[in-house]
Amino acid sequence: MHPATFKTGPKQLLQADEVIIDNYNKYYAALKSPAVLAGLSFEERLYTAHEIVEGVKREDMYFYRRTNEDFNMRCEGNNAVGINARPVNLASNDYLGFTKHPVVIKAATNAIQQYGAASGSVPLLAGTTGLHKRFESELASFLDFEKAITYNSGYAANYGLLTALLTASDVAILDMSVHASIIDGCCNTNKIYFSHNDPTSLKIALMKATGYQNKLVIIDGVYSMDGDIALLDEIMAITKEEHAWLMVDESHATGVVGGQGKGTHSHFGLSEKATILTGSLGKALGGSGGYVAGSSELVSFLEITSRPFIFSTSIPQHCAAQLSAALCLLKTGDGALDRLWSNINYFKRGMDEIGFEPSQAASAIIPVIIRDEVKLLNFCSFLHHNNVFVNPVFYPVVSKKKSRIRISVTALLKEDELSYSLDRIETAANKFNIV
Ligand SMILES: Cc1ncc(COP(=O)(O)O)c(C=O)c1O
């Protein structure tokens, strides 16, 4: 057990505390679609949103935009295993710890000194440097695609690709759990959803989708909320049979699954590729930005049609340089991927031993499904006051029966941090009758 002295104890909600749950549901409804505030004046919209956030904060139940100081304020001295009372971070997507890797930091620092702190322009004008081009070509070769193009976020990559490619005469056939940036990117086209990671449901959706000029099936390689891996082999075969294109968002797969962290194709040993790959560069690769990989023709098409690419400042040069260094670490294998998987397996074993349902997660994302929103908040509050950094996920982003804590494991976590977190999770699970 690790000694901990807390200035204040966690607040505990009662089942009757419906106002706060209501506020959380409204909070998530607005996150999912700001349109829920339509029909109000500008002032009313802002006031309503402000009240939702303040209502949750007043109850000391606001678990977003927290900083290390928010934790330290609650704790006396060096209370938890995190050095100097730093919280144990179970919410980061820096899966390989590359944001703190000395080789990555050195590459970024050298590039800043040599090229300045930012690109200063959009990519088509003065915002593309040799470092950008080098990284794009290294990334394409790492992913085994003809070409890659970078955007300033993974969101912009998905949105920019899909709004450019899909029109009112086409149809997007979407796994119902794809990322918000994909759904937003399909705003100009027709959408048909199929059941999550269900090849039979995909087949039916594709057969029903008649009368469209083009069909694009869209999946995530690893799903950001459930951490499960797409059944890419089966999905690719069906997509081919039905003459559709396939796009895979590899944001949580690149650097995590497959040999050398090459992603979902490698995980399944597939030599044939999806038509288009996209992803965030802000997760395992430890940088920021996003990419689309595909044919040379696709990249040329995006260069002249994709508005978030054309009209937005490119990622800084140092970011391109550090991403090249991160790719190099992945290719040469510096041990981070092994450490990540050893931590994932340790943590999953611990969760099984506590008595949580074995999860389908096969990646660094481990959801803890807590089917009761009051218990979920109490659980989160308890961990927050015990210096374990996790975030809750609520309806309507997930269904009420699937409200959860989204835990992510990284290579940086030490064994004592993992065991401390598991110990606190077990205490909370017993306290709130979760297992
Ligand atoms: C599956 C998925 N795609 C795209 C994105 C967007 O990436 P970025 O944060 O780089 O904008 C995210 C998360 O952030 C994600 O989870």
Side-chain angles (χ1 to χ4, degrees):
M1 258 307 298
H2 305 273
T5 324
F6 299 100
K7 287 178 184 167
T8 54
K11 181 182 167 92
Q12 199 170 318
L13 293 180
L14 304 172
Q15 281 299 338
D17 278 321
E18 278 170 9
V19 176
I20 185 152
I21 298 299
D22 189 44
N23 266 331
Y24 251 110
N25 291 156
K26 284 187 191 148
Y27 181 97
Y28 268 82
L31 262 186
K32 199 166 180 193
S33 165
V36 293
L37 301 175
L40 303 175
S41 70
F42 283 160
E43 287 83 1
E44 285 166 337
R45 280 180 216 175
L46 307 195
Y47 180 79
T48 308
H50 185 68
E51 270 309 291
I52 293 170
V53 176
E54 290 305 307
V56 180
K57 282 186 181 165
R58 270 195 298 276
E59 300 292 338
D60 194 20
M61 284 284 170
Y62 191 64
F63 300 115
Y64 304 108
R65 300 210 71 187
R66 286 175 296 173
T67 64
N68 279 358
E69 289 72 28
D70 294 332
F71 285 88
N72 295 344
M73 264 165 43
R74 295 165 194 278
C75 310
E76 308 276 9
N78 189 3
N79 63 307
V81 284
I83 314 108
N84 300 327
R86 274 216 314 266
V88 180
N89 191 342
L90 296 185
S92 172
N93 295 326
D94 180 15
Y95 299 124
L96 295 169
F98 280 176
T99 65
K100 301 191 172 58
H101 197 292
V103 170
V104 173
I105 292 173
K106 191 161 176 226
T109 316
N110 288 347
I112 286 198
Q113 271 160 2
Q114 212 174 333
Y115 301 97
S119 73
S121 181
V122 297
L124 286 188
L125 304 181
T128 301
T129 65
L131 293 175
H132 292 90
K133 288 213 162 154
R134 185 183 82 184
F135 171 65
E136 286 174 349
S137 121
E138 287 167 352
L139 181 66
S141 127
F142 179 75
L143 298 171
D144 206 9
F145 272 74
E146 214 167 87
K147 272 205 150 180
I149 179 169
T150 47
Y151 286 72
N152 51 25
S153 71
Y155 184 97
N158 281 339
Y159 187 84
L161 161 75
L162 295 168
T163 46
L165 188 63
L166 298 173
T167 70
S169 61
D170 306 317
V171 63
I173 316 236
L174 306 147
D175 183 294
M176 59 192 293
S177 297
V178 287
H179 189 257
S181 53
I182 292 174
I183 296 166
D184 294 358
C186 292
C187 54
N188 301 330
T189 196
N190 303 288
K191 296 191 274 298
I192 300 178
Y193 289 92
F194 64 95
S195 306
H196 174 55
N197 215 5
D198 180 345
T200 311
S201 170
L202 168 63
K203 176 94 185 167
I204 294 166
L206 273 164
M207 283 171 19
K208 268 204 254 165
T210 52
Y212 299 102
Q213 194 148 26
N214 305 287
K215 300 181 200 176
L216 178 67
V217 172
I218 312 179
I219 60 172
D220 287 358
V222 165
Y223 286 87
S224 58
M225 286 295 148
D226 287 315
D228 54 337
I229 300 190
L231 297 170
L232 183 59
D233 47 352
E234 293 178 53
I235 289 175
M236 195 142 76
I238 292 170
T239 307
K240 208 168 154 195
E241 266 164 37
E242 297 296 326
H243 309 290
W245 276 18
L246 176 62
M247 161 185 160
V248 186
D249 178 337
E250 287 280 271
S251 294
H252 298 278
T254 305
V256 176
V257 302
Q260 293 182 337
K262 278 182 185 255
T264 314
H265 290 81
S266 161
H267 172 83
F268 285 102
L270 300 171
S271 52
E272 200 175 340
K273 294 279 183 282
T275 332
I276 306 171
L277 221 61
T278 67
S280 168
L281 299 168
K283 303 190 193 295
L285 291 180
S288 91
Y291 70 86
V292 176
S295 64
S296 301
E297 292 81 1
L298 176 73
V299 168
S300 301
F301 168 79
L302 293 175
E303 276 180 4
I304 59 165
T305 60
S306 181
R307 298 169 73 85
F309 174 78
I310 299 166
F311 296 112
S312 194
T313 300
S314 53
I315 55 170
Q317 298 85 319
H318 72 263
C319 192
Q322 77 181 72
L323 286 162
S324 284
L327 271 189
C328 188
L329 286 172
L330 269 182
K331 281 187 280 196
T332 51
D334 80 321
L337 190 55
D338 291 342
R339 279 196 302 282
L340 172 64
W341 275 98
S342 149
N343 283 350
I344 294 171
N345 292 331
Y346 181 93
F347 193 83
K348 283 181 75 170
R349 250 192 333 272
M351 293 298 278
D352 288 352
E353 278 163 24
I354 293 171
F356 284 101
E357 294 166 27
S359 86
Q360 299 302 305
S363 66
I365 301 161
I366 300 168
V368 183
I369 311 285
I370 297 176
R371 300 175 196 286
D372 176 314
E373 292 173 323
V374 169
K375 287 182 180 179
L376 172 65
L377 281 176
N378 284 334
F379 191 89
C380 227
S381 174
F382 181 88
L383 293 182
H384 178 72
H385 283 81
N386 281 268
N387 245 13
V388 179
F389 193 145
V390 294
N391 298 121
V393 183
F394 266 83
Y395 174 82
V397 165
V398 290
S399 75
K400 273 190 190 270
K401 289 275 161 228
K402 289 201 167 169
S403 55
R404 68 192 59 198
I405 286 179
R406 177 192 183 274
I407 285 180
S408 44
V409 172
T410 70
L412 283 182
L413 291 163
K414 304 273 177 296
E415 193 175 316
D416 60 351
E417 292 179 303
L418 290 170
S419 72
Y420 170 78
S421 314
L422 286 165
D423 174 81
R424 299 288 77 198
I425 288 171
E426 182 169 25
T427 306
N430 290 329
K431 187 173 163 76
F432 303 117
N433 295 321
I434 287 164
V435 287

